[in-house]
Amino acid sequence: MTAATHSSLFPQDPDGSQFVAPPRDADAVLDGLDPEQREVATALHGPVCVLAGAGTGKTRAITHRIAYGVRAGILQPASVLAVTFTNRAAGEMRGRLRQLGAGGVQARTFHSAALRQLQYFWPKVVGGELPRLLERKVQLVAESAARCRIRLDRNELRDVTGEIEWAKVTQTVPADYPAAVAKSHRDAPRDPAEIGQIYAMYEQLKRDRSVIDFEDVLLLTVGILQDRHDIADQIRGQYQHFVVDEYQDVSPLQQRLLELWMGDRENICVVGDASQTIYSFTGATPDHLLNFRTRHPSATMVKLVRDYRSTPQVVHLANGLLNQARGRAAEHRLELISQRDAGPEPVYTEYADEPAEAEGTARRIRDLVAAGVPAGEIAVLYRINAQSEVYEQALADAGVPYQLRGAERFFERQEVREAGAALRGAARFGGNDSLLDDVVDLPSQVRAVLSTKGWTTEPPTGSGAVRDRWESLAALVRLAEDFVRARPEATLGDLVTELDERAAAQHAPTVQGVTLASLHAAKGLEWDAVFLVGLTEGMMPITYAKTDEQVEEERRLLYVGVTRARLHISLSWALSRAPGGRASRRPTRFLSGLRPGSSAPGTRGAGAAAGGAAERGGRRKRRGPVLCRVCGTTLTDAGEMKLMRCEGCPSDMDEGLYERLREWRSDQAKQLGQPAYCVFTDKTLMAIAESVPGDDGELSRISGVGGRKLERFGADVLAICAGEELVGEDDES
């Protein structure tokens, strides 16, 4: 990038737009703003903190603030720097500012603004050209791992790359990475010491090759501004006023850069909502927003709570979600007030199984489209991308066009293509494959083949690419189980044909279609109708959300999903995974007290949800809260509920009994040709070894021991618990 050729230090917008004062006066900019937005627009001096709820017109408020200041002669366009987090948001801001007559204002992402400054000052500070920017760091991370003699598969590689990015934005050096992981309770995808090694080698290779990555852009800019006061003064002379959008997503590194840009001045306006902090895994923290008044005691504080996006019914649900929230962010929650006419009530639907949920959702979407709602104004939002497949299929079957956002189509994912190729090969040459020698039924054949591609009986801990890959493979395993249930005589070749047909059917054009997206990918977007699906414990909150902070972030994620809807909001869950399966799932705790027939947290349920068990005549009996048998705390984690105690409470398990049960389970699984967990999970065996049941009644009260398993395995388990030797056991026992 060339140096500036005009009076300002840095180049103007690429389109060369310059500020030309329109004929209208400054006050005209304030027309149409509500009282709070007007307060934001006219607060042009000193620190300003705007707490802006979803749909309250924050972008409108801050762009009108800048335009009003420019028209009033208080702000010079070239002296204003507005920063946000995505190129899309920055582009939208620039467009609005141009329309308001403030086109000379710089509106950029943190990285874009820092890169322009770094390119401008590098020749003066270091000499020569700025090192080449590494656009894809994955390849260098892979080489770093290889040099450390650590083997990473493609998904682990992506996760480790993410960990390096997190370490850098939190200003953590390689040597401190393991301690930082422990302190922050992160689920590292590998041994933290190994990641620290890879991270150190990665930094060394970058230095050797004179390249920098995107995080270095911020780090180097911070370093220059800290070391060179003359350059810091030059930048502060250029930019007098700062506006920061989505301030709840600022990382420690971005906050440090902002402080260096500002110096000891306080002409800053920040806008954010702590209740929409959903990216803490990338280093984002709402602490800077929540501590703003502490750092700037004289700050003007404005709350935007008039919601122009959603109906009162949607807003009421959103407010209800946050009313149950806990933690520091919850203390600063905003009570939204809808400015729209009344609309339909939220629809809560309980389905028997996942396919029924997907088909029911597709039918409702088809009805909305028939009623005149454009397909492009409808979204289906889920917690993880692996959930998309069943909705892709259901919408395709219903003839409804769709488009995926933020993820590849299910059958286009690398791991799914690789799995398909492996299954195709096994179907063709399976007779010569020793992997399939000991398995006979179709699901077992699929599990055996996919085990070579990363599928395991238990999911990997934590989130990230490894977990995403496992979820995709697990979806294929479930698909095989459902397929053979519908076609008991089906072969592996039949399944491969089915997969090919499904993949081909989903290649239809999707120019104007229903959006399928994860909740994270939906941030910043909105639709007339939103379907929030898969809202069961274990998925919302996700299983690996263990700490209170992690669970609260899951609640905020659901809040973001709800507030994407303008008019129609539908929430659904399935009691079992597959048709005919045990109805063991529970709707997410976050809807307790909000969905009809449920009770607020801590009280006993009063009945079933609308559209759910109540419609089936109340045949499904709801259990009261499950209490820890050691400390009495209410249990919500599925694993802890199986054990009937908190994970951290002392165990009185009979270790010898547990090992005997594991050996017996292994033998049973081998005879059945199924994974061990299909007999009993580890948690169920632990619960048995802790309670040592003496009869069928005591055994049946243990979670995970249903009527079918009690009939099939009960006699063996009780005999083992009684210390008896099993002689001549067979599959019929």
Side-chain angles (χ1 to χ4, degrees):
M1 189 173 292
T2 58
T5 56
H6 44 75
S7 58
S8 66
L9 280 175
F10 312 113
Q12 296 296 307
D13 276 53
D15 62 6
S17 59
Q18 299 291 327
F19 169 65
V20 178
R24 300 170 63 197
D25 62 12
D27 287 341
V29 176
L30 305 178
D31 292 345
L33 299 183
D34 68 32
E36 294 79 25
Q37 292 172 343
R38 181 179 287 251
E39 185 179 357
V40 173
T42 55
L44 295 173
H45 299 286
V48 178
C49 180
V50 183
L51 301 177
T56 57
K58 65 181 178 65
T59 305
R60 176 180 175 84
I62 58 177
T63 51
H64 280 69
R65 177 183 186 272
I66 294 170
Y68 177 73
V70 168
R71 290 189 182 207
I74 297 171
L75 304 178
Q76 293 300 313
S79 73
V80 180
L81 178 60
V83 289
T84 187
F85 285 83
T86 66
N87 289 321
R88 184 184 63 82
E92 180 185 354
M93 195 178 292
R94 283 195 297 272
R96 292 199 191 193
L97 288 169
R98 279 194 292 270
Q99 291 175 356
L100 293 169
V105 171
Q106 292 287 302
R108 303 198 165 276
T109 65
F110 271 98
H111 282 88
S112 173
L115 182 58
R116 289 165 74 87
Q117 295 172 17
L118 198 58
Q119 289 171 322
Y120 183 83
F121 286 112
W122 188 268
K124 179 178 179 179
V125 176
V126 181
E129 292 186 357
L130 182 70
R132 179 174 60 87
L133 188 60
L134 190 66
E135 293 187 2
R136 292 187 72 253
K137 59 172 69 75
V138 170
Q139 293 172 342
L140 199 59
V141 173
E143 183 178 344
S144 303
R147 292 199 176 202
C148 294
R149 303 195 177 189
I150 298 172
R151 184 172 181 177
L152 301 177
D153 65 27
R154 186 176 63 87
N155 291 281
E156 288 177 317
L157 186 57
R158 199 171 83 189
D159 286 343
V160 170
T161 300
E163 285 299 292
I164 291 175
E165 291 172 352
W166 173 82
K168 297 185 78 165
V169 301
T170 55
Q171 298 175 282
T172 302
V173 299
D176 295 340
Y177 172 78
V181 167
K183 184 178 180 181
S184 62
H185 304 291
R186 285 180 73 80
D187 285 317
R190 296 279 300 215
D191 180 352
E194 288 185 337
I195 296 178
Q197 275 184 279
I198 297 170
Y199 179 15
M201 179 60 70
Y202 170 77
E203 292 298 313
Q204 182 62 52
L205 290 178
K206 283 201 292 98
R207 286 191 294 270
D208 293 345
R209 297 173 188 182
S210 296
V211 295
I212 59 174
D213 59 27
F214 278 99
E215 289 71 43
D216 289 330
V217 170
L218 301 184
L219 285 163
L220 289 169
T221 306
V222 165
I224 288 175
L225 296 181
Q226 286 180 157
D227 296 342
R228 292 291 298 268
H229 298 293
D230 57 327
I231 291 176
D233 289 341
Q234 205 173 345
I235 287 180
R236 292 165 192 162
Q238 167 72 39
Y239 294 122
Q240 308 287 323
H241 302 272
F242 298 88
V243 176
V244 186
D245 193 14
E246 302 287 2
Y247 194 53
Q248 78 278 352
D249 290 333
V250 166
S251 70
L253 180 57
Q254 290 165 331
Q255 175 64 22
R256 180 59 185 145
L257 177 59
L258 181 62
E259 291 167 354
L260 289 166
W261 280 340
M262 290 176 57
D264 57 3
R265 298 163 304 167
E266 292 197 315
N267 283 328
I268 181 172
C269 173
V270 301
V271 187
D273 180 8
S275 296
Q276 296 189 66
T277 306
I278 59 172
Y279 294 110
S280 64
F281 60 91
T282 67
T285 171
D287 289 347
H288 306 301
L289 175 67
L290 300 178
N291 293 336
F292 191 83
R293 192 65 177 268
T294 303
R295 295 196 312 276
H296 303 280
S298 63
T300 299
M301 304 290 292
V302 184
K303 293 183 179 180
L304 300 183
V305 296
R306 300 175 195 252
D307 188 319
Y308 297 94
R309 175 189 299 159
S310 305
T311 63
Q313 287 75 13
V314 174
V315 167
H316 178 72
L317 173 58
N319 287 336
L321 278 173
L322 292 189
N323 285 341
Q324 298 178 7
R326 294 173 293 178
R328 191 165 179 229
E331 295 170 4
H332 297 266
R333 63 181 175 268
L334 300 168
E335 188 82 11
L336 299 178
I337 304 170
S338 175
Q339 305 299 297
R340 294 192 55 173
D341 293 336
E345 291 292 331
V347 175
Y348 301 84
T349 311
E350 184 175 90
Y351 291 95
D353 51 67
E354 286 181 6
E357 183 180 10
E359 291 164 9
T361 300
R363 282 196 303 272
R364 290 203 57 224
I365 289 173
R366 188 176 56 195
D367 292 343
L368 282 176
V369 172
V373 179
E377 287 296 341
I378 302 173
V380 178
L381 306 181
Y382 34 75
R383 178 60 180 83
I384 59 174
N385 287 325
Q387 291 172 272
S388 75
E389 190 274 333
V390 67
Y391 292 93
E392 292 178 56
Q393 185 64 44
L395 289 171
D397 291 345
V400 177
Y402 66 88
Q403 55 186 332
L404 262 72
R405 181 179 181 86
E408 299 169 292
R409 294 173 183 271
F410 180 82
F411 286 103
E412 292 174 7
R413 294 173 195 166
Q414 180 72 22
E415 62 269 23
V416 175
R417 292 203 304 268
E418 292 174 357
L423 291 170
R424 194 171 291 107
R428 189 174 303 164
F429 306 113
N432 299 319
D433 191 343
S434 60
L435 189 69
L436 303 180
D437 285 350
D438 299 324
V439 292
V440 288
D441 66 304
L442 177 57
S444 296
Q445 291 176 332
V446 172
R447 293 186 201 104
V449 173
L450 297 189
S451 66
T452 67
K453 298 298 177 184
W455 180 82
T456 55
T457 56
E458 296 294 334
T461 59
S463 58
V466 173
R467 177 71 181 229
D468 289 345
R469 178 185 179 87
W470 184 90
E471 293 285 0
S472 294
L473 297 177
L476 288 175
V477 171
R478 293 195 297 269
L479 195 151
E481 293 168 350
D482 295 341
F483 185 63
V484 79
R485 198 173 286 114
R487 294 178 54 185
E489 304 304 318
T491 65
L492 192 54
D494 295 330
L495 176 65
V496 168
T497 301
E498 171 75 6
L499 294 179
D500 289 342
E501 290 176 354
R502 287 184 177 227
Q506 294 175 20
H507 288 162
T510 57
V511 177
Q512 168 70 354
V514 174
T515 298
L516 297 179
S518 71
L519 287 162
H520 281 103
K523 179 76 166 66
L525 303 175
E526 58 186 77
W527 296 270
D528 283 345
V530 169
F531 290 78
L532 299 171
V533 299
L535 300 181
T536 60
E537 286 289 315
M539 192 59 74
M540 177 58 63
I542 199 75
T543 307
Y544 47 77
K546 298 294 186 185
T547 67
D548 290 343
E549 292 83 359
Q550 291 168 337
V551 170
E552 286 305 313
E553 181 147 337
E554 293 286 301
R555 187 194 306 275
R556 295 194 295 269
L557 191 56
L558 182 57
Y559 172 79
V560 166
V562 169
T563 56
R564 300 309 95 196
R566 300 190 192 105
L567 183 61
H568 303 277
I569 182 76
S570 174
L571 307 96
S572 63
W573 57 93
L575 297 177
S576 69
R577 182 190 61 75
R582 184 182 175 204
S584 58
R585 292 178 172 178
R586 296 181 299 128
T588 173
R589 71 192 76 169
F590 299 146
L591 296 180
S592 296
L594 299 176
R595 58 187 176 87
S598 67
S599 300
T603 62
R604 287 186 177 273
E615 293 183 356
R616 294 191 297 275
R619 289 194 300 270
R620 180 170 175 259
K621 184 179 179 181
R622 292 190 176 272
R623 297 180 178 179
V626 179
L627 305 181
C628 173
R629 54 190 169 82
V630 180
C631 69
T633 301
T634 300
L635 302 177
T636 54
D637 177 77
E640 292 181 343
M641 291 173 70
K642 277 184 181 288
L643 295 177
M644 296 291 289
R645 64 170 174 80
C646 300
E647 197 78 49
C649 284
S651 168
D652 52 1
M653 183 176 71
D654 183 329
E655 296 285 352
L657 174 57
Y658 178 64
E659 289 305 318
R660 291 195 298 277
L661 287 167
R662 280 175 59 88
E663 291 174 9
W664 165 82
R665 181 185 66 173
S666 178
D667 291 339
Q668 288 290 321
K670 196 173 298 182
Q671 292 175 32
L672 296 171
Q674 295 181 345
Y677 74 88
C678 289
V679 180
F680 286 121
T681 65
D682 286 347
K683 285 283 172 63
T684 299
L685 291 189
M686 290 174 67
I688 294 171
E690 288 187 357
S691 60
V692 193
D695 55 42
D696 285 355
E698 292 178 1
L699 181 58
S700 67
R701 284 194 287 272
I702 295 174
S703 178
V705 183
R708 185 175 59 83
K709 290 191 177 182
L710 181 66
E711 181 179 352
R712 188 167 197 176
F713 305 123
D716 277 8
V717 170
L718 291 173
I720 295 170
C721 288
E724 300 172 7
E725 290 292 330
L726 297 181
V727 181
E729 61 204 5
D730 57 35
D731 290 351
E732 301 301 317
S733 61

